[in-house]
Every structure is written in structure tokens, then in C-alpha cells.
Amino acid sequence: MKQDRLLFLDPVFKEMIWGGERLKKDFGYDIPGTRTGECWAISAHEHGDCKVSSGLYKDKTLSELWNTKRELFGDYPGVKFPLLVKIIDANDDLSIQVHPDDTYARFHENGSFGKTECWYILDCKDDGDIVIGHNAKDRQELSDMIREKRWNELIRTIPIKKGDFLQIEPGTVHAIKGGTMILETQQNSDITYRVYDYDRLSDGRPRELHVEKSIDVITAPHIDHSAFVQLETDSGNMETLISCPYYTVVKIHVEGRYEGSMAQPFMNVSVLEGEGTLDGTMIRKGMHFIMTNGDGSYNIEGTITLLCSYPGIQHNETRAGID
Ligand code: ZN
């Protein structure tokens, strides 16, 4: 294996009103405070650009490598690194929100990307649930329910358990509830429209809501995309969780030894559980790295669970994404 094929990254942490301390307790990170809500683990976004933690490219940011060393990423096109991988610790409920698609974001958000995202449930309460979708029969009823603040009627929740996987298409109302930890893989964007924030105050004031834009972009009636998610086990060790135009997400679980092959230009890897080695390099729970373009084959040894992602066919080479 080529030297420095693995780009280990230092996460960027975000304090949030709904955050907690589990990123330290469960993952051992050196978090900045008692309300740490997000760990931007693999990110080249300007609001949190990860630095390489060791090796030849130590202290370089991911965006800098994307701009100057595109060969590491298999010459994948695009003005920006396409994906963003986060761990979210929701100690309290998150606001109920929705994301625009690329077309809406381009016209209404200054050329930004839209946001498709997906969630792997790392942990949740025993009787955990999550907000996905709504109960309005059409856009008029959606608009009425939002303007009349009929939240209990509007909001749709579904039960979840550890290990579940959910795809969140643009236009889908969604929210994580307190006690849930997830690993999120998403388009590299942070355009979010807040529909409802449980009437909470942040620094004495309610956080801004985006009622009109939300009504514009929410799909009505709700479409249950979970019906379209095809789970397939590619081998005894590897399971494809989703393959959409923006990304493919796979879970790799090894007990013993596994020889994998990578046909993709590069792969984002997060270690969810356990420890082991990858081509002789020590990897353990909480580490995040990018397997850069190489000869394709790799060896994993140990008892370890990885969540990996690589970019899809949809890229954004033709316009500058600004957000
Ligand atoms: Zn979201």
C-alpha cells in the first residue's frame, strides 16, 4: 500500500442548545463543552474544515487537499468535496426541519447545494422514535397546519432502534429526538429550514423559523422513502445501506480477517465499534479517515464495525456552490 493512503482527520465540534456530553463518554473525544451536539468528522465545509491529524499531509485541511491534490480523490470532479460525515448527539430534541433540493437551493440560497442526508442510528432510548414526514394530505392542509401551529396533528413519528438506517430526501420533514445518537452522511451543505422549535428560547429569544420556505419545499403529501431503500448484503462482511445519486453508504463488520476491494475514487470511513488494523495501520472506535485512491485492495483484521461512504454519480462541477 502506498504511504499515507489513509488520511486520518481531526473532527470539528459544534456546541448546540440540544447537545450533550456523549461524544466524550461514548467516543472519547476531547469536546469543548457540556452541550456538544455535533462532531464534523469528515468535512471540508467552510463552517468546519477538518485537518489531517498525522502523516505526510498533517495539519492540511481537507478542502486544501481537495483543491490541490485531487489525485488523492481519484480526480473526482466538483468545486467542493461532495460529502459531509457527522456524529450527532441529541441530548434534547432537535428542531423540526426540512432541506431544499439542489434546484430550490440554487435559486433561493445563492447557488448553494441542496441537502440529501441519511442516518445510521448509533444509539437511542429503548422506546425511541424519530420525526420523519407529516400527516397533511396536500400542500393547503400542510400550510394550514403550520400556520395554525397544529403540531401534534402535523408531525409524523416512527419507532427506531439501534442499527436502523434512514434516508432523508429533500422535502422530508425530520427531527432527531433527545437520547438519540446518529452518524449522518450528507451532501456538503448546511441549508436547513426550521419549521418548529418547540417554542424554545436560545439566549432568551426563539430561534428563527423559516415558515414560508418550509411550506415551499416540504413534499405534500409525505412520501415514505423507506419503502425504496433496498438493503442488500454484498458479502458476509459488507452490507449496502443506500445507493442514491449523491452517495452510497456501506457497513462493514469484521470478526477476524476481511479482504476488501475498492473500485471507488475514494472512501470515507468511520469506525463505529471495536478496533483492529487496516493494512497494518491501527484503527479503533471514534477514528475517521479517508481511504484515498489506490490499487483497490485492502485488508482488515480485528473485531470492528465501519460505516463507509463514497460519492455518487451526481456532482456539481458546473457551478460554484456557495453557502
Ligand atoms: Zn437534516
Side-chain angles (χ1 to χ4, degrees):
M1 190 179 76
K2 238 172 28 187
Q3 200 192 359
D4 291 306
R5 184 180 174 194
L6 306 183
L7 292 178
F8 287 91
L9 298 168
D10 281 331
V12 175
F13 296 96
K14 302 279 182 180
E15 294 288 293
M16 299 286 181
I17 59 168
W18 42 261
E21 295 182 274
R22 290 184 69 186
L23 287 164
K24 180 177 180 184
K25 286 179 185 149
D26 292 19
F27 281 90
Y29 298 129
D30 186 14
I31 59 175
T34 57
R35 286 183 161 199
T36 306
E38 297 191 350
C39 160
W40 291 25
I42 300 177
S43 167
H45 195 282
E46 57 268 40
H47 297 157
D49 198 353
C50 296
K51 283 185 174 168
V52 176
S53 61
S54 59
L56 184 60
Y57 303 111
K58 185 173 169 22
D59 293 331
K60 296 229 185 285
T61 61
L62 184 53
S63 68
E64 191 180 346
L65 290 179
W66 179 256
N67 290 329
T68 61
K69 296 270 174 200
R70 194 65 66 90
E71 63 275 16
L72 294 173
F73 308 95
D75 294 315
Y76 188 85
V79 289
K80 285 184 169 190
F81 185 80
L83 300 175
L84 204 168
V85 177
K86 290 179 188 174
I87 298 177
I88 295 178
D89 168 19
N91 187 53
D92 197 357
D93 296 347
L94 268 72
S95 64
I96 292 174
Q97 49 186 255
V98 63
H99 306 296
D101 62 14
D102 284 341
T103 307
Y104 190 91
R106 185 183 311 150
F107 288 110
H108 296 271
E109 301 296 343
N110 205 17
S112 179
F113 300 159
K115 187 169 167 189
T116 301
E117 66 190 30
C118 61
W119 297 342
Y120 179 84
I121 310 294
L122 295 168
D123 198 21
C124 63
K125 291 179 180 168
D126 285 341
D127 55 348
D129 61 3
I130 207 156
V131 174
I132 303 272
H134 61 82
N135 297 313
K137 67 179 188 301
D138 55 28
R139 191 163 309 279
Q140 185 59 52
E141 189 172 68
L142 175 80
S143 167
D144 293 346
M145 283 175 157
I146 291 176
R147 291 181 209 285
E148 293 161 17
K149 305 186 189 303
R150 289 152 58 196
W151 308 116
N152 289 340
E153 278 176 81
L154 178 71
I155 301 305
R156 174 180 179 266
T157 59
I158 60 166
I160 50 164
K161 60 184 188 316
K162 189 175 171 174
D164 280 355
F165 183 81
L166 299 153
Q167 171 83 337
I168 315 289
E169 297 286 344
T172 304
V173 174
H174 62 281
I176 305 161
K177 294 209 180 173
T180 310
M181 280 191 99
I182 65 164
L183 187 135
E184 178 177 87
T185 305
Q186 55 162 97
Q187 280 181 270
N188 185 5
S189 159
D190 63 359
I191 303 290
T192 296
Y193 301 145
R194 203 175 282 130
V195 184
Y196 175 52
D197 199 26
Y198 302 98
D199 302 316
R200 286 181 292 197
L201 301 179
S202 173
D203 299 326
R205 300 170 54 203
R207 295 194 293 174
E208 187 190 2
L209 300 180
H210 313 92
V211 171
E212 299 309 321
K213 286 180 174 175
S214 296
I215 293 170
D216 276 353
V217 305
I218 292 170
T219 306
H222 170 67
I223 297 170
D224 185 0
H225 289 278
S226 63
F228 306 122
V229 176
Q230 289 282 331
L231 295 186
E232 49 180 281
T233 302
D234 300 334
S235 70
N237 296 96
M238 194 169 111
E239 186 183 6
T240 301
L241 300 174
I242 184 78
S243 195
C244 75
Y246 295 102
Y247 47 72
T248 293
V249 177
V250 301
K251 182 179 174 184
I252 298 175
H253 179 70
V254 179
E255 285 175 42
R257 197 159 179 278
Y258 171 68
E259 180 161 344
S261 66
M262 188 178 82
Q264 293 73 34
F266 64 95
M267 189 158 78
N268 303 318
V269 183
S270 297
V271 185
L272 302 187
E273 294 283 352
E275 60 179 43
T277 57
L278 197 164
D279 289 342
T281 300
M282 173 72 184
I283 55 173
R284 60 179 155 71
K285 177 174 177 171
M287 285 182 167
H288 306 269
F289 58 91
I290 295 172
M291 204 188 296
T292 58
N293 191 36
D295 61 10
S297 65
Y298 58 90
N299 269 290
I300 297 171
E301 285 184 48
T303 300
I304 196 161
T305 306
L306 310 176
L307 208 80
C308 310
S309 56
Y310 49 86
I313 55 167
Q314 181 76 37
H315 42 73
N316 294 285
E317 60 189 322
T318 53
R319 64 192 164 84
I322 305 156
D323 62 30

